[in-house]
Amino acid sequence: MSKSDKVVIPQAVADGAAAIVADKLNFTYNPKSPFSKQALKDVTLTVNRGEFVAIVGHTGSGKTTFVQHLNALIRVQNGGLFVLDYNLSAKKVDLKTLRGRVGMVFQYPEYQLFADTVLDDVCFGLKNFGVTDKEKREQLAQNALELVGMDFDKVKNKSPFDLSGGEKRRVALAGVLAMEPQILVMDEPTAGLDPRGKREILSLVSSINRHKGVTVVMVSHDMNEVYENADRIIVFREGEVAYDTTPRQLFKKEDEIISMNLEIPHMAKFCNELERQGYVIPDDCKTVEQVFDAVLALKGGVGNA
Amino acid sequence: MDIITLENVSYYYKTYDDEGAAAQASGVEGINLTIREGAFVALVGHNGSGKSTLAKLLNGLLVPNSGTVTVCGLDTADKKNIFEIRKNVGMVFQNPDNQMVASIVEEDVAFGPENLGVPQPEIVERVYSALEQVGMTEYAKRSPHKLSGGQKQRIAIAGALAIRPKVIVFDESTAMLDPQGRREVLSVARELNKQGMTVILITHFMEEVYGCDEVVVMSGGHIVKIGKPSEIFADERLLEAVGLDAPRSVALAAKLKSVGFDVTENCIDARTLGVEVCRNLTK
Ligand SMILES: Nc1ncnc2c1ncn2[C@@H]1O[C@H](COP(=O)(O)OP(=O)(O)OP(=O)(O)O)[C@@H](O)[C@H]1O
Ligand SMILES: Nc1ncnc2c1ncn2[C@@H]1O[C@H](COP(=O)(O)OP(=O)(O)OP(=O)(O)O)[C@@H](O)[C@H]1O
Ligand SMILES: [Mg+2]
Ligand SMILES: [Mg+2]
C-alpha cells in the first residue's frame, strides 16, 4: 500500500477476517450534470470471509451499483472499499487478478455472453486468468457446465444466443464458477430459472460456500430463496443500508418490509403467526421441512402437557 | 369462442452440428391447444421447455414447420394475415430496459400504433387510454429510463395495449422485478382479463399461477398437462417429473394434511395457514 493513498487498513481486513469492508461508500451517476443521481449514500458494511450474504431492496435502491464496485466494474468515487486485500479506493488496482478472485454473475446474462459457442464462452475467462492448456480448459468448462445442469454435448457448440433465457443464465454462471473465485458475487442469479433450476443452483452455491469457504454475495428479489439460503440479509433503501440482520429477525418486521416494496417469505409469515399466538419456533427454522418438523414438535408438546 | 387454436404444431430452430453442417433443434413438437376468448391461461415448464417458442408462434414471429396456428380465425402461416395477427396479439417480455424505444413515455407507447399506420389523433387517444389502463397517466411526459422496473413494465404493457390486441402474452414479464413491481404487473394483468382481454402468462413463479383459469404445463417441447392450478399442484408426481414446485405455503399445507391436520388444501396464504394450524394445536 503506498503512503499517498493515506488509508487506514480496517482491522478485519488486516487480519483476514473480512472479505469485503465498505466504509461510507458514496456513488453518483453523471455527477455535475442535471441528470445526476446519487445511487449510494454512506454505505457501510462488512462481509466476513466464508459468509453467505444476501442484498435485497426495491428496484433502483442501489444493489447493482454496489455489487459492481466489488470487482471494480464501477470505480470508487468516494469512501473506502476493501475487497480481500485489494484497496479499491486506491488509484491503481490490479484488475486482472482482482477479477479472477471476485467472480461476477451479471443481472442480465445476455450482457455477459459474447463468444461464438457456449464452450468458448466458458473457456474465455479460464484462458484470460492463466489456464494455458486448451484441453485442461475444456475439461474445466465441461465440469462447470455440468455443475449448472447443462447437457454438455448438446450445448457446447451452440451459440449462447440460441439458448432459452434460463439456459443463458446457467451458461453465464458456469463461466464464473469455472474460475473458482474466492468471492462469488451474483446479481439476481436465479431470475428466469425454473423452480428446480433455482433450487439446484442455490444448493450448488450453498455447497460451494460451505465446503470450499467461498464468500457469497447474492442480490435477489426472491425473498423466499434469500430467507432459506443467506446467513445475513442487507436491505438497501434509496441507496442506503436500511437493515443488516439475520433472515428470521428481518422478516419479523412485516409492515416495514412491505413498505419497502418487499414481501414476507411464506415460511416467515407462517412462523410469525404462530409466534403471535404464543408458540415458540426455533430460530434456525426456515425451510418447509424445518417448519413442518417444528409444528410436529409443538403438537407433540401439546399432547404431553 | 376459441380465439387461438394450435393443431399438431411443431417448430424447429436451424442450428449447426459439430462439423458446421445445418441441423435442427426442436423448439416445440406436436402441440395441440385451444384458448378460449377471455381466458386467463398460465404457461409453465422448465427452462428450454418451449414456452417462449410457443408464445412467438402465437403472433407469427415464428411460423410452424408443421401443423397450423389459428389466431382470431387467421392462419399465421399465411403472409397476408401477419399484419392483422400482430394487431391482435400483444407481447410483453422479461427485460424492461430492452423494451423501451423512445425517450419519452408517451412516444414509447405510441410506437406500436404508429407502426400500424393508425392516424395521429387516434394514436393520442390510444396512448392515453392505454396509460390509464396501467395507471401511469401522470408519467406520460417523463423519461421511461428513470422509472422503476415495475413502472417500466407497466409502460411496456401500455405499449402492447395501444395496438388494441385481443390477446396479451406476458413472457416472464415479472422475472426481473421487485415484489412490489411483480404485484403491480399481476394486478394489471388481472384487471385486463376482467375487462375481457385474453391473457397468457408465462412464469416461473408458481404463486402467480393461482387465480388463472387454466395452467398449461410444458416439458421438453410438449404439453404434458392442462388443468386448474389446484389440480396441477395436487399432482406431486407431475411436479416432480417436470421440475416444478408447489408454492411453499401450499407444500406445507399438503404435508400437514397428510399427518392429519385439519387445514385448507392449496392454502396460498401462509398467515391463514398459520391461523388454522394454531387452531389444530389448541384442540
Ligand atoms: N448508468 C446509469 N446512469 C444513470 N443512472 C443510473 C445508471 N444505472 C443506475 N442508475 C440509477 O441509480 C439508481 C440505482 O440503480 P441500481 O441499478 O444500482 O439499482 P438496483 O437496486 O440494482 O435496482 P434493480 O432491482 O431494478 O436491479 C437508480 O435510481 C437507477 O435509475
Ligand atoms: N434461436 C434459437 N436457436 C436454436 N435453438 C433455440 C433458439 N431459441 C430457443 N432454442 C431452443 O429451443 C428450446 C425451447 O426454447 P424456449 O426459448 O422456447 O424455452 P422456454 O420454455 O421459453 O425456456 P426459458 O424458461 O428458459 O425461457 C430450447 O431447447 C432452446 O435451447
Ligand atoms: Mg439491479
Ligand atoms: Mg422463455
Side-chain angles (χ1 to χ4, degrees):
Chain A
M1 195 77 37
S2 78
K3 273 198 180 143
S4 62
D5 286 331
K6 280 192 198 135
V7 285
V8 184
I9 299 175
Q11 192 57 42
V13 173
D15 54 20
I20 298 164
V21 175
D23 182 22
K24 292 207 159 82
L25 195 61
N26 286 280
F27 187 83
T28 303
Y29 286 103
N30 312 314
K32 292 181 205 143
S33 100
F35 307 107
S36 84
K37 165 82 200 171
Q38 184 167 6
L40 296 180
K41 297 173 197 157
D42 284 344
V43 169
T44 298
L45 59 86
T46 300
V47 175
N48 297 315
R49 292 207 189 199
E51 228 182 346
F52 190 141
V53 169
I55 298 181
V56 305
H58 62 83
T59 42
S61 58
K63 303 180 298 295
T64 296
T65 306
F66 176 71
V67 297
Q68 293 200 339
H69 274 80
L70 301 179
N71 74 347
L73 268 174
I74 294 181
R75 296 306 309 268
V76 175
Q77 265 177 1
N78 177 284
L81 181 62
F82 282 85
V83 174
L84 298 170
D85 45 14
Y86 296 83
N87 175 8
L88 298 190
S89 311
K91 278 206 185 69
K92 270 207 177 135
V93 175
D94 178 359
L95 292 180
K96 191 163 165 167
T97 61
L98 172 74
R99 289 182 184 159
R101 288 178 195 153
V102 182
M104 173 86 74
V105 180
F106 290 100
Q107 180 163 5
Y108 296 99
E110 55 266 40
Y111 298 154
Q112 186 146 16
L113 303 170
F114 54 91
D116 287 340
T117 69
V118 167
L119 181 61
D120 287 349
D121 216 297
V122 178
C123 285
F124 178 82
L126 291 167
K127 187 171 177 186
N128 233 2
F129 296 108
V131 184
T132 46
D133 179 43
K134 184 159 182 274
E135 242 165 65
K136 177 93 202 281
R137 277 202 300 270
E138 297 198 353
Q139 188 55 51
L140 289 171
Q142 174 165 359
N143 294 349
L145 282 163
E146 283 169 354
L147 264 182
V148 299
M150 298 292 286
D151 181 339
F152 181 71
D153 289 319
K154 199 173 152 202
V155 298
K156 63 180 180 196
N157 291 317
K158 247 187 153 176
S159 156
F161 302 98
D162 287 352
L163 297 171
S164 80
E167 291 165 341
K168 283 189 187 122
R169 172 74 66 191
R170 289 165 197 250
V171 172
L173 185 60
V176 174
L177 290 180
M179 312 208 307
E180 304 200 331
Q182 292 173 26
I183 303 182
L184 184 57
V185 181
M186 305 185 293
D187 199 349
E188 304 198 25
T190 64
L193 287 186
D194 55 45
R196 178 181 290 166
K198 276 192 190 198
R199 236 190 302 130
E200 287 174 356
I201 296 288
L202 284 168
S203 84
L204 170 68
V205 169
S206 288
S207 116
I208 292 171
N209 168 252
R210 261 181 280 121
H211 300 122
K212 297 199 174 160
V214 173
T215 306
V216 176
V217 176
M218 174 173 84
V219 175
S220 176
H221 283 311
D222 188 333
M223 298 306 125
N224 287 300
E225 70 179 30
V226 158
Y227 186 63
E228 289 173 5
N229 290 284
D231 299 323
R232 190 152 57 92
I233 303 179
I234 298 174
V235 185
F236 275 52
R237 178 177 52 199
E238 310 209 359
E240 292 179 284
V241 172
Y243 294 95
D244 182 344
T245 182
T246 61
R248 285 276 278 151
Q249 289 309 316
L250 178 66
F251 290 109
K252 284 181 187 177
K253 310 177 206 299
E254 293 198 357
D255 296 338
E256 285 152 86
I257 296 296
I258 302 288
S259 76
M260 288 190 295
N261 284 6
L262 304 177
E263 69 190 343
I264 318 295
H266 286 187
M267 291 303 106
K269 214 189 223 179
F270 178 86
C271 292
N272 289 348
E273 181 57 35
L274 264 67
E275 289 183 337
R276 251 193 300 276
Q277 303 210 21
Y279 295 97
V280 180
I281 309 272
D283 243 16
D284 56 356
C285 202
K286 295 188 290 191
T287 64
V288 170
E289 285 71 25
Q290 290 164 344
V291 172
F292 176 66
D293 290 343
V295 172
L296 289 188
L298 284 175
K299 177 127 183 151
V302 169
N304 294 339
Chain B
M1 199 196 89
D2 293 336
I3 192 158
I4 292 174
T5 315
L6 289 94
E7 279 173 294
N8 211 10
V9 169
S10 299
Y11 182 81
Y12 303 94
Y13 290 98
K14 288 193 186 62
T15 54
Y16 301 93
D17 67 13
D18 285 10
E19 278 76 47
Q24 288 186 334
S26 141
V28 294
E29 271 178 316
I31 301 288
N32 287 297
L33 178 68
T34 57
I35 292 174
R36 218 172 15 83
E37 181 154 24
F40 195 137
V41 178
L43 192 52
V44 302
H46 63 79
N47 290 134
S49 60
K51 303 178 298 295
S52 297
T53 305
L54 182 56
K56 289 175 192 150
L57 285 162
L58 300 182
N59 79 342
L61 223 53
L62 301 177
V63 290
N65 296 104
S66 66
T68 49
V69 180
T70 315
V71 176
C72 302
L74 303 164
D75 183 345
T76 63
D78 189 340
K79 281 209 175 68
K80 68 179 189 310
N81 289 336
I82 244 353
F83 213 58
E84 200 55 33
I85 285 166
R86 295 269 159 89
K87 272 201 257 181
N88 281 312
V89 183
M91 295 264 198
V92 184
F93 296 99
Q94 183 183 98
N95 184 340
D97 294 320
N98 286 355
Q99 295 179 73
M100 301 292 135
V101 290
S103 56
I104 298 176
V105 165
E106 59 180 3
E107 287 172 9
D108 200 273
V109 178
F111 184 77
E114 265 163 12
N115 268 0
L116 291 172
V118 174
Q120 196 56 41
E122 196 190 326
I123 290 183
V124 176
E125 192 246 297
R126 283 186 181 207
V127 166
Y128 278 84
S129 82
L131 284 172
E132 172 99 47
Q133 275 177 288
V134 298
M136 291 292 288
T137 313
E138 58 180 304
Y139 293 86
K141 306 277 184 206
R142 307 256 197 108
S143 156
H145 302 284
K146 296 215 167 144
L147 302 174
S148 75
Q151 291 171 330
K152 282 181 193 163
Q153 284 300 54
R154 284 197 272 161
I155 300 303
I157 297 170
L161 292 175
I163 58 171
R164 299 265 157 100
K166 292 206 172 76
V167 181
I168 186 158
V169 183
F170 294 92
D171 191 350
E172 290 192 53
S173 314
T174 62
M176 300 306 308
L177 303 182
D178 65 18
Q180 171 62 23
R182 224 149 64 213
R183 289 192 284 265
E184 287 170 28
V185 169
L186 276 182
S187 82
V188 169
R190 296 212 172 100
E191 188 49 41
L192 291 172
N193 179 251
K194 258 192 222 144
Q195 295 164 10
M197 179 88 68
T198 307
V199 176
I200 298 173
L201 182 77
I202 299 178
T203 184
H204 289 301
F205 287 100
M206 296 303 129
E207 280 88 346
E208 297 182 354
V209 163
Y210 276 82
C212 289
D213 306 321
E214 221 172 32
V215 187
V216 176
V217 182
M218 297 194 68
S219 182
H222 303 276
I223 292 177
V224 292
K225 174 139 182 164
I226 301 179
K228 290 200 166 48
S230 54
E231 288 165 17
I232 303 290
F233 292 117
D235 191 343
E236 265 177 57
R237 212 170 310 143
L238 171 83
L239 296 179
E240 177 57 34
V242 299
L244 298 178
D245 284 338
R248 286 166 176 78
S249 166
V250 174
L252 180 61
K255 280 171 89 74
L256 289 167
K257 215 173 164 65
S258 75
V259 295
F261 276 76
D262 178 19
V263 293
T264 314
E265 227 169 330
N266 274 294
C267 187
I268 187 71
D269 177 39
R271 167 147 322 119
T272 309
L273 185 62
V275 171
E276 291 183 357
V277 166
C278 288
R279 242 182 254 144
N280 277 262
L281 288 174
T282 51
K283 251 202 282 214

